[in-house]
Structures are given as C-alpha cells and as structure tokens.
C-alpha cells in the first residue's frame, strides 16, 4: 500500500508499505528520518516519540496506515533549518545528550510540555518525561535542560 503523510511540513509518500509496518519504520527506513529511535518496539521507552497531528505518540505503536493523510512532526522538524529549537539547544548546552538514544523522545516530550505549560514545576517536568527511559544518566542534566528551555520560552533566560 502507499502511505501519504505530511512530515515536518512536507508532503511525503511511502510505497510498498505492508499493513503491519510501523510509522517508526516508515520514518526511519523509507523516508530517511533517523531521529526517532527504535529501542523497545513496545511503547515503553519513549525513544520513538513523534507528534501525530500535534499529539505525542510512540511511533513504534502506530501502524503506518494510521498516518495516512495526517501530519507528523519528528525531532528533526523542531529545528528551523540549521537553527536548533531552544529545547534542542538546551540539551546541548546542559550536556543532557549522552549516548543520544533517548534524546529525541525526551526532546519531543519536553517540547510538548513547554508548549502546554509556560513555567513547569519540577514535578510537572518529571511527570512529562516519565515515559522516557534513559540508561546513561541520573536525569539531572535532562531536567536542567528542560528548565533552561522553559525559562528561555518564558523570557526569563
């Protein structure tokens, strides 16, 4: 089957998609967008999080056909060309990027939180990131990055 989807503002097509293929597979293997990571394939780790019609989803759990005619925004789509989004930049600035496997999902989750909550509390940050697993760190640098990005958006930093 053919899947037509708008990805990061660009209409894209994927041909020869089989019915059980995930949106994650289509994004990575058919459309060449490796940002969302393939880790657990069970929706438990958050590494594959993308926006589907402005709602964060684990793309490993979304059948590619469900994305037909819909809008997907990946971690690559948060940047403005070569200019990183403030959330992405904060992860770099705060050293919150380690092996990088969890980073795309954490960035999408943090972006979603900051879009919904201008000045999130630490408890709100922790809750928003709860579905994302990182195996490299104690999360403190990640929390610092989200705090920095939220402060920048609020005009505090």
């Amino acid at each position: 089957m053919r899947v037509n989807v708008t990805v990061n503002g660009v209409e894209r097509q994927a041909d020869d998609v089989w019915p059980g293929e995930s949106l994650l597979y289509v994004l990575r293997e058919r459309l060449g967008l490796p940002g969302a990571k393939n880790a657990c394939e069970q929706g438990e780790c958050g590494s594959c999080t993308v926006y589907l019609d402005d709602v964060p989803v684990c793309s490993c759990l979304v059948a590619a056909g469900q994305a037909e005619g819909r809008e997907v925004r990946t971690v690559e789509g948060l940047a403005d060309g070569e200019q990183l989004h403030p959330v992405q930049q904060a992860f770099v600035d705060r050293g919150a990027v380690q092996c990088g496997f969890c980073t795309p999902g954490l960035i999408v989750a943090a972006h979603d939180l900051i879009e919904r909550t201008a000045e999130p509390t630490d408890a709100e940050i922790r809750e928003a990131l709860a579905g994302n697993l990182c195996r490299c760190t104690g999360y403190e640098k990640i929390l610092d990055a989200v705090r920095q990005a939220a402060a920048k958006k609020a005009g505090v930093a």
Side-chain angles (χ1 to χ4, degrees):
M1 92 176 134
R2 172 178 285 164
V3 175
N4 298 290
V5 61
T6 301
V7 181
N8 300 328
V10 178
E11 291 185 26
R12 304 285 301 266
Q13 274 185 350
D15 290 320
D16 300 322
V17 175
W18 55 277
E21 203 165 297
S22 70
L23 175 58
L24 174 62
Y25 186 86
V26 168
L27 291 170
R28 290 181 59 80
E29 305 301 328
R30 296 188 182 276
L31 300 180
L33 295 165
K37 302 298 184 215
N38 186 2
C40 73
E41 294 187 82
Q42 297 176 10
E44 296 291 328
C45 72
S47 293
C48 67
T49 304
V50 299
Y51 284 108
L52 182 60
D53 293 335
D54 294 323
V55 176
V57 298
C58 290
S59 59
C60 70
L61 297 179
V62 176
Q66 290 177 288
E68 173 66 34
R70 297 173 76 183
E71 198 165 312
V72 174
R73 189 171 182 197
T74 69
V75 69
E76 294 98 335
L78 297 180
D80 183 12
E82 296 296 316
Q83 180 69 39
L84 294 178
H85 185 278
V87 174
Q88 294 168 315
Q89 189 61 55
F91 269 69
V92 172
D93 293 347
R94 294 299 183 153
V97 178
Q98 293 199 22
C99 83
F101 218 74
C102 66
T103 306
L106 283 164
I107 288 173
V108 172
H111 178 270
D112 182 61
L113 169 66
I114 293 168
E115 290 298 307
R116 292 182 291 106
T117 308
E119 297 181 51
T121 64
D122 281 359
E124 290 170 321
I125 294 170
R126 289 177 190 277
E127 177 68 24
L129 302 182
N132 297 81
L133 300 178
C134 176
R135 292 165 181 87
C136 295
T137 182
Y139 293 93
E140 200 55 45
K141 289 181 179 183
I142 294 167
L143 297 173
D144 289 344
V146 178
R147 289 182 198 114
Q148 175 183 317
K152 180 167 179 122
K153 181 165 188 199
V156 177

